[in-house]
Amino acid sequence: MYSQGLIGAGSDNTETPEFLTAFQARIDADEKIEPNDPMPAAYRKTLIRQIGQHAHSEIVGMLPESNWITRAPTLRRKVALLAKVQDEGGHGLYLYSAAETLGVSRKEMTEELISGRAKYSSIFNYPTQTWADIGAIGWLVDGAAIMNQVPLCRCSYGPYARAMIRVCKEESFHQRQGYEIMFTLAEGSAAQKDMAQDALNRWWWPSLMMFGPPDGDSLHSDQSTLWKIKRFSNDELRQKFVDATVPQALRLGLTLPDEALAWNEAEGRYDYGEIDWDEFWSVVKGHGPLNKDRVAVRKKAWDDGAWVREAALAYARKRAARAATPLVAE
Amino acid sequence: MHAPLFAALIRLADDHLILGHRLSEWCGHAPMLEEDLAMPNIALDLIGQARALYSYAGDIEAAGRDEDLLAFGRLERDYQNLLICELPNGDFAQTMLRQFYFASFMLLFWAEAEGSSNATVAAVAAKAVKEAKYHRRHCGEWVIRLGDGTEESTLRMQEACFVLEPYLGEFFAVDDVAIEMSKASILPNPQSLRGAWLADVCEVFVSAKLQAPDLTHAHKGGRQGRHTEAMGHLLAQLQYMQRSFPNMTW
Ligand SMILES: [Fe+2]
Ligand SMILES: [Fe+2]
Ligand SMILES: [Fe+2]
C-alpha cells in the first residue's frame, strides 16, 4: 500500500556522471527501466526498500482484517472478507516478486520483517476492535492506498508499475466494499451507527498519516521524484485523499473527528486540522499499540512453518532424484 | 416440509461451514505465502457450498430462516457436523491431513450426487465436485510431501494420523436420514463410499509412506449434535456478532 517514509534510504553513487546523465535521460523520456537494464545503485536500493516496505504492508495488513474473519456477521460478509484478505496476500506475492527482480530474495525480505528492522505502513499497528473497523479499513485505508498507488502505475520501474496496475484494480474493489459496509451500518440501528462513527473516529487520523511526513520533512522525495518513482508529494496526495473522502463521510451522515475541517472556497479544497506528528513518529519508531504484536505474529508464522518449508524442499530433492511421475493421480 | 431432506442439507452445510471456519483461522499465519492464498481459497469454496446448502434448506423448511439464521442462529446441540470438522487445527500436518480426508470423501460423495434425483442438489454437486477435486489434489500433495519429507515432518504426519483416526468412522455412519436420502436417490449412502475412499487414502498413503488408517474405533455424535469441547468456543466466535446484535442487517 504505502510508499510512506522510505526512512534512511542512502545513496552511495560511484557511477560516472555520464552514466547518471544517460540514465536520467531515459527516465525523462518516460522509458520504463527493466530488471536487466543498467541502473544506479541508489535507484535500485530505493526501489528495493520501497517495494519491500509495500510488500510487507500487504502481508502485515492481513492481520488486522483476518482478526474478524471468524467473527464476520453474515456469510456474505465472511466470504467477502476472506477474499479481501486473500487478495492482500496476493498483492504481497506480486510485490515480493517485483522486488526479487532487483536482486533481493523473498526470504531475505521476510527475515528483515520478522527481525523488526523492516518498515511497513504504520496504520496496521492499530487494533481492529469492532466489525465497523473492517468497513473503515476498506474505505479509508484501501482508499488511501489507492491515492498512493495510482501514480505508481506510471512508476519508471517496469515490474513495479505493472504490479501496481493489477493491484489497483483490486484495491478499488476493496474500497467500495468497505464503503458499502459503512453505508449499511450508517443506515442501520443506533448501535450500528455508533459503531461506524467510533470506527471513523479511530481510523481517520492514522489514515491521513499513511501519506507520510509533511513535505518539508520527507527525506527522499526529491530524488524519487526525479527518478519518477514518486509523482506527487506526500501533502499533495493527502489533500487529494481528504477532498475525495470528506464528501463520502458526509453522505454516510458521519462526522469527521476534526473541528478544523472546513471547505476552503478560494482554494477549492478542504482545510484540515493539525496531524499529531508525535504519534506518527512514535508508531513509525515501533511504539504503536501493536507494532510488537504484529511482528511477533509474523515471526511465529515463519518460525512455526520452518519444518513445513524444509519438508517441501527435502521432498522436492528426493523427487528430483526419482523418476517424474504424477504426485497424486487424477 | 421434507424433513429428512432438510436434515441432510443442514448436516452437509454444517460440515462445510465449520470446516471452512477452521481453515480460515490460518489466514495470515500460514507456513508460506502460497499457503496463505491456498487455504483461504479452499475455505471460500467450503463456505460457498455451505451457503448454497443453507439457502436451499431454508427454502425447504419454508419457515423464513435464511442462510444466516441457519448458520448463526442455532444452539450448539442443533449443529450436526461431523466431529472431525470442528477439531482445532493442530499443526499444518493435521490441517492438511484432515482436509485431504474430507476432500477425498466429498469428491466421491459429490460425484455420485451429480446424478441426484433432486435438481438443486445435482447443481450444487456439479460445482462442488470440481472444487473438491482441486482440494483433494492440493492437500493430498501436502500429505505426501510431509509424510515423505524430513524426519520431523514424517513424525508430525504420523501424529496427525493418530489424532484424526478415531474421527474417520463417522464419515460412513448411516441412520434414518441417510437411508431415506439414498432410497430417494437424492444423496449417496455414505457407507457405500467407504471402500473407494479407503482405496484413495491408501494410494496417497503409500506415496506418503504412512500406514493405512484403522476405522474400527470411531467417535460419533456429531450428526446428533453431541460435540467435542472445542465446538462451543468455535461457535462463540462464529456467532459473536449475531448474538451481540440480533436482528440487524449487516
Ligand atoms: Fe497496497
Ligand atoms: Fe493490497
Ligand atoms: Fe486492499
Side-chain angles (χ1 to χ4, degrees):
Chain A
M1 288 188 184
Y2 332 74
S3 50
Q4 98 181 356
L6 296 184
I7 294 127
S11 56
D12 44 1
N13 286 326
T14 51
E15 291 93 0
T16 62
E18 292 75 18
F19 171 76
L20 294 175
T21 307
F23 181 77
Q24 190 62 48
R26 290 194 62 195
I27 301 274
D28 293 343
D30 273 333
E31 281 180 46
K32 284 276 179 273
I33 308 302
E34 295 299 334
N36 294 324
D37 294 349
M39 63 183 89
Y43 177 83
R44 183 185 300 274
K45 198 171 168 185
T46 299
L47 277 166
I48 288 175
R49 187 184 307 268
Q50 177 164 336
I51 301 172
Q53 287 182 5
H54 191 162
H56 297 326
S57 299
E58 302 287 352
I59 298 304
V60 176
M62 295 169 80
L63 300 176
E65 293 189 282
S66 69
N67 183 39
W68 279 90
I69 289 172
T70 58
R71 290 179 294 166
T74 66
L75 292 179
R76 181 172 82 92
R77 293 296 186 197
K78 189 188 285 289
V79 164
L81 181 58
L82 244 178
K84 194 229 186 218
V85 179
Q86 188 199 28
D87 284 349
E88 305 301 0
H91 299 169
L93 198 57
Y94 313 147
L95 285 160
Y96 283 130
S97 302
E100 281 182 316
T101 65
L102 291 159
V104 59
S105 72
R106 200 210 297 182
K107 186 164 177 282
E108 288 169 314
M109 288 183 276
T110 303
E111 281 163 357
E112 254 213 316
L113 174 66
I114 63 175
S115 74
R117 293 193 308 273
K119 300 291 180 202
Y120 53 85
S121 183
S122 297
I123 192 102
F124 299 122
N125 293 314
Y126 292 85
T128 48
Q129 210 183 335
T130 72
W131 170 251
D133 292 21
I134 298 305
I137 287 181
W139 172 36
L140 301 173
V141 177
D142 287 79
I146 294 165
M147 289 294 169
N148 266 327
Q149 288 173 184
V150 165
L152 288 172
C153 296
R154 295 186 293 126
C155 162
S156 60
Y157 189 58
Y160 194 25
R162 289 189 289 273
M164 280 304 99
I165 290 170
R166 196 164 163 189
V167 165
C168 278
K169 282 188 193 135
E170 291 180 350
E171 302 294 17
S172 57
F173 180 74
H174 299 163
Q175 195 267 348
R176 272 178 278 140
Q177 191 169 273
Y179 189 72
E180 201 256 323
I181 290 175
M182 293 301 275
F183 192 84
T184 308
L185 296 173
E187 295 272 286
S189 67
Q192 287 173 304
K193 270 179 223 159
D194 288 349
M195 195 189 283
Q197 182 63 57
D198 172 58
L200 176 57
N201 293 348
R202 285 180 289 110
W203 291 94
W204 174 250
W205 291 107
S207 298
L208 295 190
M209 294 176 197
M210 282 177 68
F211 296 93
D215 289 350
D217 305 357
S218 183
L219 295 173
H220 306 286
S221 288
D222 292 350
Q223 185 59 64
S224 287
T225 305
L226 279 176
W227 278 331
K228 295 189 182 170
I229 295 171
K230 201 172 171 65
R231 299 248 177 190
F232 296 98
S233 76
N234 293 352
D235 285 335
E236 283 168 339
L237 290 169
R238 190 167 12 246
Q239 185 68 53
K240 275 181 194 239
F241 174 75
V242 169
D243 292 342
T245 309
V246 170
Q248 293 168 354
L250 296 177
R251 228 173 298 142
L252 294 173
L254 298 178
T255 309
L256 288 155
D258 179 0
E259 285 177 4
L261 189 84
W263 176 249
N264 182 328
E265 188 66 52
E267 301 286 339
R269 59 169 163 75
Y270 284 95
D271 291 333
Y272 54 92
E274 182 66 25
I275 292 171
D276 181 351
W277 293 113
D278 290 342
E279 176 178 327
F280 171 78
W281 288 113
S282 161
V283 180
V284 167
K285 287 172 183 159
H287 310 296
L290 292 177
N291 296 56
K292 290 188 175 71
D293 307 65
R294 298 296 189 223
V295 171
V297 166
R298 287 313 308 164
K299 180 167 166 24
K300 184 174 189 311
W302 183 250
D303 292 347
D304 288 355
W307 70 272
V308 176
R309 298 189 302 275
E310 281 158 21
L313 273 176
Y315 181 79
R317 276 195 295 268
K318 285 186 203 177
R319 194 169 158 75
R322 291 196 292 257
T325 46
L327 199 47
V328 176
E330 286 294 326
Chain B
M1 173 175 88
H2 191 322
L5 176 56
F6 177 78
L9 291 168
I10 291 293
R11 290 173 176 191
L12 267 178
D14 287 349
D15 288 346
H16 286 78
L17 175 63
I18 300 302
L19 186 57
H21 178 103
R22 279 297 186 213
L23 197 56
S24 77
E25 292 173 1
W26 274 99
C27 192
H29 309 276
M32 60 192 73
L33 193 41
E34 285 76 3
E35 284 306 303
D36 254 328
L37 304 181
M39 287 192 281
N41 215 24
I42 297 175
L44 278 168
D45 287 343
L46 297 178
I47 297 172
Q49 288 156 15
R51 293 182 70 186
L53 293 162
Y54 284 130
S55 295
Y56 184 42
D59 293 347
I60 299 274
E61 187 187 40
R65 285 203 284 182
D66 63 5
E67 58 172 22
D68 290 323
L69 266 177
L70 288 168
F72 298 97
R74 287 175 293 146
L75 298 174
E76 178 175 333
R77 291 287 273 112
D78 299 324
Y79 284 82
Q80 295 162 52
N81 54 280
L82 297 168
L83 299 177
I84 196 170
C85 297
E86 74 198 44
L87 297 180
N89 286 327
D91 64 8
F92 187 72
Q94 198 177 313
T95 297
M96 280 297 131
L97 181 62
R98 164 169 60 185
Q99 216 62 46
F100 167 67
Y101 282 147
F102 185 79
S104 169
F105 177 79
M106 287 313 304
L107 180 56
L108 295 164
F109 188 92
W110 290 128
E112 198 174 319
E114 272 192 283
S116 173
S117 63
N118 178 305
T120 308
V121 169
V124 172
K127 181 163 185 287
V129 83
K130 295 190 194 92
E131 295 169 346
K133 204 175 269 182
Y134 159 72
H135 303 167
R136 172 188 160 276
R137 193 178 66 226
H138 183 84
C139 302
E141 286 179 356
W142 271 114
V143 170
I144 294 171
R145 269 186 215 113
L146 298 177
D148 187 21
T150 59
E151 202 176 315
E152 180 176 6
S153 73
T154 303
L155 283 173
R156 284 177 181 266
M157 195 44 88
Q158 285 166 350
E159 173 67 13
C161 290
F162 173 78
V163 169
L164 295 177
E165 193 173 67
Y167 297 93
L168 298 177
E170 197 182 12
F171 276 114
F172 310 102
V174 169
D175 64 0
D176 291 349
V177 169
I179 289 168
E180 186 89 14
M181 286 299 99
S182 113
K183 265 195 196 151
S185 304
I186 296 175
L187 290 169
N189 179 337
Q191 182 64 40
S192 72
L193 306 175
R194 185 179 152 135
W197 179 82
L198 207 51
D200 187 39
V201 168
C202 287
E203 195 193 314
V204 166
F205 274 25
V206 166
S207 304
K209 301 186 176 162
L210 295 167
Q211 286 205 326
D214 175 1
L215 275 55
T216 320
H217 303 286
H219 295 314
K220 287 180 189 136
R223 295 304 190 210
Q224 287 74 44
R226 294 196 306 274
H227 293 280
T228 66
E229 290 184 349
M231 186 64 171
H233 299 277
L234 184 156
L235 292 179
Q237 287 199 24
L238 181 77
Q239 300 183 337
Y240 168 70
M241 288 298 291
Q242 292 283 348
R243 294 289 180 211
S244 306
F245 306 95
N247 306 316
M248 294 181 197
T249 301
W250 300 95

